[in-house]
Amino acid sequence: MSGEPQATAVARGLVVAIDGPSGSGKSSVSRAVARRLGTAYLDTGAMYRAATWWCLEEQVDLADQAAVAAAVDVMPLVMGIDPAAPSVHVDGTDVGEAIRTTEISTAVSAVATNLAVRAELRRLQRAIIAAESSPEAADTSFSGGRGIVAEGRDITTVVAPDADVRILLTASEEARLARRSLEVHGAADAAAVEATKDQVLRRDRDDSTVSQFHVAADGVVTVDSSDLDFEQTIQAVLDVVEQVMATAATTPDAGTGGEGPAR
C-alpha cells in the first residue's frame, strides 16, 4: 500500500427535484425552498414557455414539429437561477412576464409535447443542474456548488432521476384550480375557476402524453398540499429534504449522488 496521502473526496451539492401537476404550487414552493436552503433554483417549465415565445416571435408554425425543434436548437436562452430574482432571457430580451401570458399558456403544450424539443431542453436542464451541484464548478456556479432545487415535468424521473431528494408535489383538482384562478384572475370564485379550468386541465392532459406527473415513481416522496397553506407546504417539503438527507447520512450506500450532497 502506498504511503502517499489519499485524496479527500469532495461532496457534491444538494439536488432537489420537484414534480407535480399544474396548480400544485411547484414553482412558488420550489423557489422558496431554494431560498431557505441557499441553493440555485431552476424553473424548467419556464424553459418550455420561453421556447414557445421564441417560436412565435420567429413566426414558426407550432404544428411543424421539425421546424419548432430546429428553432429551439438555436434558441439563445439564458436562465437566471437566483431564487430571489429568477429570470428568463431570450436573445437578450427579458421574457419573464411575456411567457406568463394567456397566449403562451394556450400554445405551450404544442411545444412541450414535441419530443425533440424535450430532448434538447432536458440536455440544457441537466447541464445547469450539474454545474450547480459539481464541486469542480464551485467557483463559477451561482450557488457556489451548494446545489439546486429544480422543478417541472419529468424532473424526478427523466431529467434528474439521481437527485438526492425527489418530491411529487400534488393537490386536489379543486385546490389546484382555485390557486391558479387566484394567480391568473386574482379571484377564486366560480366564474374565475371556470375560466381557468380548461387551461389547467388541458395542459395536464396534453403533457401527460409525454410525461408522468400524477403518480410518484419509486423513490419519489409525495407531498399533498390540498389542505396546506403556502408556508405549511414549504415546511412540508423542507421536512422531506431533512428526513431524506438524515437517512442518507446514516446509510451512505443508499444515496444516488456519488459522494453525496454537501452537509
Side-chain angles (χ1 to χ4, degrees):
M1 181 174 178
S2 171
E4 295 180 2
Q6 299 298 305
T8 302
V10 179
R12 78 166 195 176
L14 173 68
V15 178
V16 179
I18 300 178
D19 201 345
S22 298
S24 61
K26 291 191 306 295
S27 296
S28 54
V29 170
S30 297
R31 180 179 171 184
V33 167
R35 293 185 70 173
R36 302 282 178 90
L37 294 174
T39 68
Y41 160 68
L42 178 62
D43 177 355
T44 63
M47 298 173 74
Y48 287 99
R49 287 176 172 271
T52 305
W53 180 91
W54 173 246
C55 288
L56 294 176
E57 185 75 5
E58 295 294 296
Q59 299 183 331
V60 176
D61 179 2
L62 299 188
D64 186 338
Q65 294 202 340
V68 168
V72 174
D73 277 345
V74 297
M75 174 177 59
L77 174 67
V78 177
M79 296 296 295
I81 53 178
D82 180 351
S87 61
V88 185
H89 287 80
V90 179
D91 199 21
T93 300
D94 184 345
V95 298
E97 292 188 11
I99 63 174
R100 303 297 176 183
T101 62
T102 300
E103 178 187 17
I104 299 299
S105 295
T106 301
V108 67
S109 283
V111 175
T113 54
N114 185 313
L115 296 182
V117 168
R118 297 190 75 80
E120 171 60 14
L121 294 187
R122 286 169 181 161
R123 182 187 68 80
L124 296 176
Q125 291 156 14
R126 291 184 183 116
I128 294 171
I129 292 170
E132 292 304 315
S133 59
S134 170
E136 289 79 14
D139 293 336
T140 56
S141 65
F142 166 80
S143 68
R146 288 188 300 276
I148 189 167
V149 175
E151 56 93 357
R153 302 283 198 252
D154 280 351
I155 201 75
T156 62
T157 54
V158 180
V159 179
D162 60 344
D164 301 291
V165 183
R166 296 184 296 152
I167 294 172
L168 177 70
L169 181 60
T170 189
S172 67
E173 181 178 302
E174 180 183 25
R176 293 190 292 111
L177 287 172
R179 290 169 186 169
R180 186 53 60 87
S181 296
L182 280 171
E183 178 186 331
V184 176
H185 302 290
D189 55 29
V193 168
E194 189 60 33
T196 310
K197 194 173 205 175
D198 177 68
Q199 183 186 116
V200 171
L201 300 186
R202 180 177 50 78
R203 173 78 193 279
D204 280 354
R205 184 179 64 250
D206 290 347
D207 285 1
S208 67
T209 64
V210 293
S211 174
Q212 177 56 257
F213 49 86
H214 287 293
V215 179
D218 288 346
V220 178
V221 180
T222 298
V223 173
D224 189 333
S225 66
S226 300
D227 299 318
L228 304 178
D229 62 24
F230 182 57
E231 189 60 38
Q232 289 171 331
T233 305
I234 295 169
Q235 190 57 54
V237 170
L238 289 171
D239 287 346
V240 171
V241 173
E242 182 178 358
Q243 291 162 8
V244 171
M245 300 317 299
T247 300
T250 57
T251 54
D253 292 341
T256 56
E259 295 297 335
R263 298 295 192 267

